[in-house]
Amino acid sequence: MSLEKIFNPGSIAVIGVSTRQKGVGFDVFTNLTTQGYRGLVYAINPKVGETGKDNFYPTLSALPHVPELVIIALPSPLVVKALIEAGENGVNSVIIISAGFREIGPVGEKLESQIKEIVTQYKLNLVGVNCLGAMNIKTGMNASFASRMPEFGNISFISQSGALCTAVIDFAKYLGLGFAKIISIGNKTSLSEIDILEYLETDPETKVIMMYVEDLSGKDFLARARRLTKPIVVLKTGQTIAGQLAANSHTGALGGSDLIYEALFRQAGIIRAYNVQDLFNFCEAFACNALPRGNKVAVLTNAGGPGGLTTDALSLNGLEMAELSNATRAELLDNQINPHNPIDILGDAGRDKYATALDILTHAPEVDMLQVILTPQTSTQIEATAKAIVGIRNIINKPIITSFMGDTEIKPGVDILALNGVCDISYPDLASKALAKLYERKVYLDNLNNNHKGQGSASSVDHKIVTQIVSQATSQNLTYLTEDQATRVFKAYNLPVSTQFLVTSVQEAIAKSKELNSNLVLKIVSPDIVHKSDVGGVILDVAPDQIESNYSRLLQNIHSNTPQARINGVLMSEMIDIQSGFEIIIGAKTEPGLGKSIMVGVGGTMVEVINDVTFSLLPIGEDEAWKMLERLKSKLIFKGVRGRPALDEVALVDALLKVSQLLTDFTEIRELDINPILVLEKGRGCKILDARIILAK
């Protein structure tokens, strides 16, 4: 259903407008009738006297025609009745500003559930509940209780916080930023941010989308967001793991919600800002610039210090200083300009020096982007230089970000830049960060077709065995598969498990040890023990002639440390020398609302201390699996360092793809740890040495 009537209605009715000129409803009605909106506006209040006087009516049905948008600003207990009236009168689009729903507890949650049912019954487009409202700046529609609107521009803003909307409007006035649409989505009872994003994707007035989110709705967010082509810049709360519930796996412990959102943003091509300043800077950079061809930057400055700081900032943000060609250098020298990047034109540089240097650099094919720094000195022609930059910016479509450093003295120049669509970010290091985001978006779009193609599928998979194991566990209300069960699951997906046997007596252990023909590992198998090593449930490097004594010692450890634990037996496996490879962890966890993610990183007993891991949302393809390895800080280990041989990355990628397929096939799996999977020398594959699977309750 189209959301056009949310932002471009021809008529609006506001339910809950007080005749005493107080309250949210009256504020919304006043905004709609005083700030330029030219459609019909009606106020609904059952206590009015003469119908139609001052556009007041007692009910929706008393209106001369059906309004295209209804805004409800009533106490929460009265909202359900008003919404039913809207549906029965043929209204399609509704904004519920009222608060007092699930955010206040069970009573409000029940009311919100009723609203969902009404929305479904009448097929309504509903924004809210508990929101500020919506704005279309070009048409003067302020369907919110914010006191004023920003200037018109090409940025649109979606926010879960109504209060942040009002702050953004005030900031925008100060920074000279313009907006096309602003919408507060509140509790997202019906329409979510992805619905609004898809509308703005086709909105001709929106070039850049700014977002503030606390959580995202729907497991299909990633798939739908990937179809969007406009740049999206998001500020999200919840970067810390304070208050996170204890997890039953290493993956759960390492994978705080924010890491999963980080993966989501990366895979969806969404630019993340970590503070309000970056949010504005990044949006302005996208609003004012096309995407660059590459990552080579020329820095033009009239001050050496800022030029050096900018060089560092560009490198730290993944960009490179453009290496000027001989032809470009010669042209700069012919005009008495320093031919080395950063191009320092010295403190006496006026308008002409800036203009000449910019003309040469913008036409240089080796330069993809420009960062122009100006500090106010005695010879600096601030306004004239700003006009020169605007003139060149209008001719050449390469990204340019200026840093006019200072405050009152440089303000006239900054105003000229802002009025003419040139992005100015006062601090050069922040400007460098914004340029990097332009390039980040360019790289994402270039690789878009590879990001999720070739999703891994395990050949010759035995689904029947896995289904039996999972069904048996769930029928017994078990949420943890024993290692023996987990091993059988991995075998069914052709994952590289070591040779092992489940035994239930010392005699059986002695007999089976002869088949392994090596030193052994003994592990307790119990549905009640997740971390075996913590309770003495693992004994390593057991010689075949020491089976009996170590078997008894293993059982005694369990009886002493966890006397109530049920024991299914002992898992015997071949002892593999860890020094023959490198310990890696593969894990998975489920994030409410977003689905499953897969993790890979440095494994072993110190996994949570080292914390070198990366996440991706499932399913992944081969390209994403390789990118996961590339993101690890320890990635050079795979290539071979300090005399160690190169490792079998191909086998590890294959294991990641098979785990991805397993998790996609079996939604019952909530968390998974393979720790460690030993990655052996190149060409020798991998070996799973320990694993656990946790099922959903």
Side-chain angles (χ1 to χ4, degrees):
M1 190 181 291
S2 171
L3 305 188
E4 186 65 18
K5 299 307 179 187
I6 298 290
F7 291 102
N8 287 296
S11 57
I12 303 173
V14 184
I15 302 178
V17 182
S18 170
T19 55
R20 296 190 301 272
Q21 302 186 5
K22 290 182 180 179
V24 170
F26 184 84
D27 290 342
V28 175
F29 180 72
T30 302
N31 288 342
L32 287 168
T33 54
T34 62
Q35 296 188 19
Y37 175 66
R38 296 188 177 184
L40 298 171
V41 184
Y42 306 109
I44 308 298
N45 186 320
K47 298 179 182 179
V48 299
E50 183 182 345
T51 297
K53 183 180 179 182
D54 298 324
N55 280 358
F56 273 79
Y57 291 81
T59 62
L60 281 176
S61 56
L63 293 176
H65 62 83
V66 178
E68 293 185 348
L69 173 64
V70 165
I71 301 169
I72 300 176
L74 292 168
S76 57
L78 303 178
V79 169
V80 169
K81 181 181 177 182
L83 190 61
I84 292 173
E85 183 186 3
E88 289 180 343
N89 278 276
V91 173
N92 297 122
S93 299
V94 181
I95 298 174
I96 299 179
I97 288 175
S98 314
F101 295 94
R102 73 170 184 260
E103 74 275 7
I104 68 167
V107 174
E109 190 171 357
K110 184 177 180 180
L111 282 173
E112 194 163 338
S113 295
Q114 290 178 265
I115 288 171
K116 287 182 180 179
E117 293 172 4
I118 298 166
V119 166
T120 302
Q121 179 182 352
Y122 292 103
K123 298 180 180 178
L124 300 174
N125 277 334
L126 173 67
V127 175
V129 300
N130 184 26
C131 71
L132 181 79
M135 296 180 182
N136 182 338
I137 287 77
K138 188 173 184 180
T139 65
M141 187 196 79
N142 184 357
S144 79
F145 59 96
S147 60
R148 61 187 178 86
M149 293 191 292
E151 296 297 318
F152 177 69
N154 59 9
I155 300 170
S156 285
F157 182 40
I158 306 169
S159 178
Q160 266 183 269
S161 166
L164 191 67
C165 282
T166 60
V168 163
I169 291 167
D170 205 31
F171 272 128
K173 184 76 173 177
Y174 172 75
L175 296 171
L177 284 183
F179 285 80
K181 311 286 193 302
I182 294 178
I183 187 165
S184 160
I185 53 178
N187 289 16
K188 301 184 291 185
T189 308
S190 176
L191 294 174
S192 69
E193 55 281 301
I194 190 65
D195 299 308
I196 310 300
L197 283 169
E198 288 175 337
Y199 170 80
L200 294 175
E201 171 73 8
T202 62
D203 177 35
E205 293 156 7
T206 299
K207 181 181 178 182
V208 183
I209 302 170
M210 174 191 289
M211 294 179 68
Y212 167 79
V213 301
E214 292 156 5
D215 59 66
L216 292 174
S217 303
K219 296 179 183 179
D220 62 343
F221 183 93
L222 176 58
R224 292 170 68 182
R226 274 177 167 151
R227 297 196 290 265
L228 306 178
T229 60
K230 292 179 180 178
I232 303 166
V233 184
V234 63
L235 175 65
K236 183 192 174 295
T237 57
Q239 294 180 40
T240 66
I241 58 172
Q244 183 182 341
L245 296 177
N248 287 323
S249 67
H250 292 299
T251 310
L254 290 165
S257 296
D258 196 63
L259 287 175
I260 311 305
Y261 276 101
E262 190 76 34
L264 169 65
F265 297 147
R266 182 179 60 248
Q267 288 172 263
I270 293 173
I271 304 298
R272 184 168 189 183
Y274 288 94
N275 53 62
V276 174
Q277 186 174 33
D278 280 346
L279 180 70
F280 279 103
N281 288 346
F282 297 166
C283 285
E284 186 181 3
F286 280 104
C288 295
N289 291 290
L291 297 182
R293 295 173 306 172
N295 70 337
K296 306 297 192 296
V297 184
V299 177
L300 180 64
T301 178
N302 68 344
L309 293 172
T310 302
T311 301
D312 288 340
L314 290 168
S315 179
L316 290 170
N317 284 285
L319 301 180
E320 296 180 18
M321 298 293 286
E323 185 174 340
L324 302 181
S325 67
N326 290 336
T328 301
R329 290 181 180 181
E331 194 171 0
L332 289 169
L333 281 171
D334 287 345
N335 288 276
Q336 289 79 52
I337 296 172
N338 165 36
H340 303 290
N341 193 14
I343 300 96
D344 186 353
I345 52 178
L346 306 178
D348 62 353
R351 179 261 180 212
D352 291 345
K353 187 73 77 174
Y354 268 101
T356 301
L358 275 172
D359 184 59
I360 294 168
L361 294 171
T362 52
H363 285 89
E366 67 271 22
V367 174
D368 301 312
M369 296 178 274
L370 290 101
Q371 189 166 339
V372 182
I373 301 168
L374 178 146
T375 60
Q377 301 181 49
T378 54
S379 300
T380 309
Q381 297 169 306
I382 295 170
E383 294 178 62
T385 301
K387 290 176 183 177
I389 294 170
V390 169
I392 290 172
R393 171 69 181 78
N394 290 337
I395 297 171
I396 301 296
N397 203 27
K398 289 182 181 179
I400 297 176
I401 296 182
T402 62
S403 293
F404 276 36
M405 300 180 68
D407 189 6
T408 54
E409 199 170 343
I410 52 89
K411 190 176 186 307
V414 172
D415 289 343
I416 291 169
L417 297 170
L419 285 171
N420 290 277
V422 176
C423 175
D424 181 81
I425 299 174
S426 297
Y427 298 104
D429 56 325
L430 300 183
S432 298
K433 191 190 296 188
L435 280 175
K437 294 304 176 182
L438 295 176
Y439 180 66
E440 179 183 320
R441 179 66 181 166
K442 192 265 183 189
V443 170
Y444 172 80
L445 292 176
D446 285 349
N447 295 330
L448 184 60
N449 293 330
N450 293 324
N451 280 344
H452 55 289
K453 75 177 184 180
Q455 292 172 355
S457 59
S459 58
S460 305
V461 169
D462 194 335
H463 289 95
K464 185 176 180 181
I465 287 179
V466 181
T467 300
Q468 289 174 346
I469 293 171
V470 172
S471 298
Q472 181 182 2
T474 53
S475 68
Q476 298 172 1
N477 293 321
L478 299 176
T479 58
Y480 166 61
L481 296 185
T482 64
E483 187 175 351
D484 173 57
Q485 292 172 314
T487 298
R488 289 161 57 204
V489 167
F490 294 142
K491 275 186 178 179
Y493 272 74
N494 301 306
L495 282 153
V497 295
S498 57
T499 305
Q500 51 191 227
F501 301 103
L502 178 66
V503 297
T504 56
S505 68
V506 69
Q507 292 79 13
E508 188 180 4
I510 292 170
K512 287 294 185 183
S513 68
K514 297 175 183 177
E515 297 183 33
L516 292 170
N517 193 30
S518 68
N519 281 13
L520 309 168
V521 178
L522 304 183
K523 302 177 186 177
I524 202 69
V525 177
S526 168
D528 303 316
I529 301 173
V530 178
H531 298 291
K532 297 179 287 292
S533 58
D534 292 347
V535 294
V538 179
I539 300 178
L540 304 174
D541 206 17
V542 178
D545 60 354
Q546 297 173 340
I547 291 290
E548 184 171 358
S549 61
N550 281 283
Y551 190 97
S552 299
R553 179 160 67 94
L554 183 71
L555 293 180
Q556 183 57 47
N557 289 344
I558 301 305
H559 290 317
S560 299
N561 295 324
T562 56
Q564 304 302 320
R566 293 166 290 173
I567 297 174
N568 293 351
V570 173
L571 198 65
M572 299 174 52
S573 60
E574 57 184 324
M575 180 69 191
I576 298 175
D577 181 13
I578 291 177
Q579 300 303 316
S580 64
F582 190 73
E583 291 179 289
I584 289 291
I585 182 173
I586 295 176
K589 76 185 293 281
T590 303
E591 185 65 30
L594 296 180
K596 288 194 182 74
S597 61
I598 189 168
M599 176 189 82
V600 68
V602 176
T605 57
M606 298 292 285
V607 58
E608 290 167 19
V609 176
I610 297 173
N611 196 14
D612 181 17
V613 298
T614 184
F615 285 81
S616 289
L617 283 167
L618 292 176
I620 61 168
E622 184 176 345
D623 188 72
E624 181 62 23
W626 281 105
K627 286 180 179 178
M628 291 181 76
L629 301 190
E630 184 65 25
R631 287 196 294 269
L632 296 176
K633 295 189 287 287
S634 54
K635 60 187 177 183
L636 293 179
I637 291 288
F638 295 108
K639 308 301 180 186
V641 293
R642 300 267 179 172
R644 293 176 64 97
L647 301 176
D648 202 333
E649 293 176 284
V650 173
L652 180 56
V653 166
D654 182 64
L656 281 168
L657 294 175
K658 288 174 177 175
V659 170
S660 171
Q661 186 64 37
L662 168 65
L663 294 163
T664 304
D665 291 345
F666 289 90
T667 57
E668 300 92 335
I669 298 175
R670 178 169 62 88
E671 290 185 23
L672 174 150
D673 266 358
I674 299 174
N675 184 38
I677 178 169
L678 193 67
V679 185
L680 303 171
E681 188 176 342
K682 189 174 183 179
R684 293 183 56 204
C686 303
K687 279 285 185 182
I688 295 175
L689 304 188
D690 197 7
R692 61 179 60 91
I693 293 175
I694 298 170
L695 305 178
K697 293 182 180 179

